[in-house]
Amino acid sequence: MLLRDVVEAPGLGIGVLHGDAEALSRPVLRACTTDMPDPTRYVSAGSLVFTGLVWRRSAEDSDLFVKRLVRAGVTAMAAGEALHGRIPDDVIEACARHRMPLLVVPDEVPFSRVIEYMTGHMAGARMDRLQTGLARQRQWLAAVADGRSVGELLDGLAQQLGVESALITSTGVTVAGGAELDDAELDRITAAALTADRFPLRLDGDFTVLPVGRGLTDRIDAWFLVIRHDESGPECVEAFSELAAVVALDRIRRDERRRVAWEITDRTPTVRAADSRVAVVAEAEGRISPDVLRGLVEDVLDGAVTSIDAANRVVAPAIGSDVDVARLLSRRLGRLAPALRGDRMFVGVGGQSSDDDPACAVRAAASACAAAHNDPGPVAVRRAELDSALDLLSTLPDELRRAYADRLLGGVVEHDRRTDAGLLATLEAFLDCDGSWRRTADRLHVHLNTVRYRIGRVEALTGRSLARTGDRFDLYLALRSLEPALA
């Protein structure tokens, strides 16, 4: 029913203290009664809230109470005159300030009588809508069984109701629907949907967002139905809610097909980069399972076929340049940040350097993924940039790098293990200080002769001279090959 129906109800004498004709056309979905100072827990979107103003002590109380009603999406407030003999001016002013329609219930009319009238009026309409909704859902289920896509159903309903709509993932990828949403709109919608306390979610009158299936629980990989500029009232929202239930069933079937495809893919003994010569490696920390991460990466990369490697990381080929792929992953996966709550995602993007070794891109991406652990934020995306010797080294197989490091520094590592002499730390400081004896001694807080002695032991154990540029470079690469980010 509309707010106007309550005002025009015969024998109730309800008046309007604030609200124009447009406000009286607002839909009322239910009635709530509360006199708690914070009504948030006791009201819901679309409600007509009845209050006896027991909570009011000052104008500040009125402003805060009305502000909370607006935040909860309440349709209007109906205040009783019994306590104060009239409605205080500050209550009227607060409603006008926050554009909340305000009705006045005469002293001699109990709230229960108004609510009883509303219940009777709405019951018949609700039954009609229920029957219509069930018939509509049966038609949709039959259509899906006959092979029609949920995209066709979504477009058909949107056209019928005169709105634009889209089915999107939690990362802002459009699954179906004709509504074109730009990046800024997707950022806004996903951020609000991933943190919403309840649905339907209205965003400043521009969008209405509905959950698909699991809704409030599994936010990270949720789907949402978005209605743009919904001016059709509660019937429109109800119709899309009914369709959301059908979409949820279709998604269950899609996820089952995806799991079967994963089982087939995981039987492949090796993972090779795509013809695009770009690969993605992703891993998560916390409650995010590899399968959830895997699905997110496939959605973001537009259905790329992923695998799980021996380290339980998600590996996928990607189409496009490594720069564009990294930017896309950062943008879309970054939208999940509000829902991660302590969990983290790490993603590496690697470009293949030659056709002779197609797994090169995967190794580079794995190295970049490991390096992303050092970056701040809940979602870290790194690109393996081959513009230094270290970047080139990161593309080599792990076994080859370990063998190289062991061959040059194995004796030094073993000597440190037996004697705790600090030779490896001294070598690292010496190279970082560009071979300066004095700066190395200052950094390590030891005597200059101690540095000379330790470097001499390193040279004896490695057979290399740190006075020669080539030997220094060899030892530098060997030292970096021992680091966890490259190991």
Side-chain angles (χ1 to χ4, degrees):
M1 65 188 305
L2 302 180
L3 190 58
R4 179 182 294 105
D5 297 328
V6 180
V7 174
E8 295 175 354
L12 296 181
I14 295 176
V16 180
L17 293 182
H18 173 70
D20 53 17
E22 182 180 353
L24 294 179
S25 298
R26 292 186 181 185
V28 178
L29 304 181
R30 60 192 63 84
C32 302
T33 303
T34 182
D35 269 306
M36 298 297 292
D38 184 355
T40 307
R41 293 175 55 190
Y42 310 97
V43 302
S44 56
S47 299
L48 173 57
V49 176
F50 291 85
T51 176
L53 305 179
V54 176
W55 45 265
R56 177 190 170 275
R57 294 291 182 273
S58 65
E60 289 75 16
D61 293 338
S62 299
D63 187 79
L64 185 57
F65 187 87
V66 174
K67 188 183 298 182
R68 285 169 170 164
L69 293 184
V70 171
R71 199 173 296 154
V74 165
T75 294
M77 184 172 91
E81 296 179 316
L83 182 63
H84 299 285
R86 63 181 185 87
I87 306 303
D89 292 340
D90 53 81
V91 174
I92 301 173
E93 291 167 2
C95 288
R97 185 161 49 250
H98 298 290
R99 292 185 290 182
M100 170 64 67
L102 175 61
L103 308 184
V104 56
V105 182
D107 184 12
E108 66 276 7
V109 178
F111 291 162
S112 59
R113 188 190 303 173
V114 184
I115 295 174
E116 183 179 354
Y117 169 82
M118 292 177 60
T119 303
H121 189 278
M122 296 166 67
R126 186 178 295 115
M127 182 59 67
D128 291 341
R129 289 198 304 272
L130 179 60
Q131 292 176 346
T132 301
L134 289 174
R136 196 157 41 200
Q137 280 189 323
R138 283 195 294 267
Q139 291 175 351
W140 285 330
L141 288 170
V144 171
D146 288 341
R148 291 186 64 187
S149 68
V150 295
E152 292 179 85
L153 302 182
L154 183 60
D155 291 341
L157 181 60
Q159 184 176 8
Q160 176 185 341
L161 296 176
V163 297
E164 292 183 352
S165 63
L167 174 63
I168 67 170
T169 69
S170 56
T171 56
V173 176
T174 299
V175 178
E180 295 184 2
L181 305 172
D182 60 33
D183 280 335
E185 290 173 328
L186 288 168
D187 290 344
R188 177 178 165 220
I189 292 168
T190 53
L194 289 171
T195 56
D197 293 328
R198 57 168 67 93
F199 289 98
L201 173 65
R202 287 186 177 272
L203 299 181
D204 297 335
D206 295 332
F207 299 100
T208 296
V209 184
L210 300 166
V212 172
R214 293 165 288 183
L216 293 172
T217 54
D218 299 324
R219 296 293 183 92
I220 291 175
D221 62 340
W223 281 5
F224 302 101
L225 271 178
V226 181
I227 310 167
R228 184 198 290 274
H229 302 304
D230 171 30
E231 301 293 344
S232 300
E235 292 79 9
C236 178
V237 176
E238 285 187 18
F240 275 97
S241 298
E242 294 156 8
L243 181 57
V246 176
V247 175
L249 292 175
D250 188 71
R251 186 187 176 183
I252 291 173
R253 296 197 307 179
R254 168 190 178 273
D255 289 345
E256 288 297 329
R257 292 193 298 268
R258 174 178 268 180
R259 274 188 283 272
V260 171
W262 287 346
E263 290 177 6
I264 296 172
T265 303
D266 290 344
R267 296 192 190 107
T268 306
T270 57
V271 177
R272 300 176 70 85
D275 293 338
S276 62
R277 296 186 292 177
V278 175
V280 173
V281 173
E283 58 185 334
E285 185 179 84
R287 301 162 297 168
I288 306 171
S289 70
D291 280 352
V292 169
L293 181 61
R294 191 174 188 175
L296 291 171
V297 170
E298 287 191 0
D299 289 339
V300 167
L301 296 180
D302 195 22
V305 179
T306 63
S307 295
I308 300 290
D309 68 5
N312 222 24
R313 297 174 300 197
V314 176
V315 182
I319 303 299
S321 71
D322 56 343
V323 175
D324 291 339
V325 170
R327 186 180 296 118
L328 180 70
L329 287 160
S330 182
R331 179 82 187 197
R332 290 182 172 176
L333 291 178
R335 291 181 176 131
L336 298 174
L340 292 180
R341 299 178 183 176
D343 300 332
R344 297 193 69 200
M345 291 182 179
F346 313 99
V347 184
V349 180
Q352 182 181 318
S353 58
S354 72
D355 292 329
D356 298 331
D357 184 9
C360 177
V362 176
R363 290 195 297 272
S367 179
C369 180
H373 282 259
N374 299 319
D375 295 343
V379 178
V381 178
R382 275 275 190 115
R383 185 167 59 91
E385 302 180 79
L386 296 179
D387 55 6
S388 72
L390 283 181
D391 292 333
L392 184 61
L393 183 67
S394 71
T395 66
L396 297 177
D398 294 348
E399 297 78 8
L400 186 59
R401 287 187 280 106
R402 290 195 195 97
Y404 175 75
D406 289 343
R407 183 174 180 83
L408 266 68
L409 294 175
V412 178
V413 172
E414 177 61 21
H415 186 277
D416 274 353
R417 188 189 65 79
R418 288 187 289 103
T419 65
D420 197 24
L423 299 185
L424 208 62
T426 302
L427 173 62
E428 182 174 17
F430 183 76
L431 293 173
D432 285 347
C433 293
D434 300 321
S436 168
W437 303 98
R438 173 58 61 189
R439 286 164 53 201
T440 303
D442 291 342
R443 175 179 293 190
L444 297 176
H445 305 292
V446 298
H447 195 275
L448 184 64
N449 289 339
T450 301
V451 176
R452 294 185 184 279
Y453 170 77
R454 291 179 182 175
I455 294 299
R457 293 295 296 144
V458 170
E459 291 177 328
L461 290 168
T462 61
R464 303 297 177 106
S465 171
L466 284 163
R468 291 196 294 266
T469 300
D471 287 353
R472 277 192 193 181
F473 186 65
D474 289 344
L475 292 175
Y476 173 77
L477 293 182
L479 189 66
R480 292 297 175 257
S481 295
L482 292 174
E483 294 180 352
L486 292 174

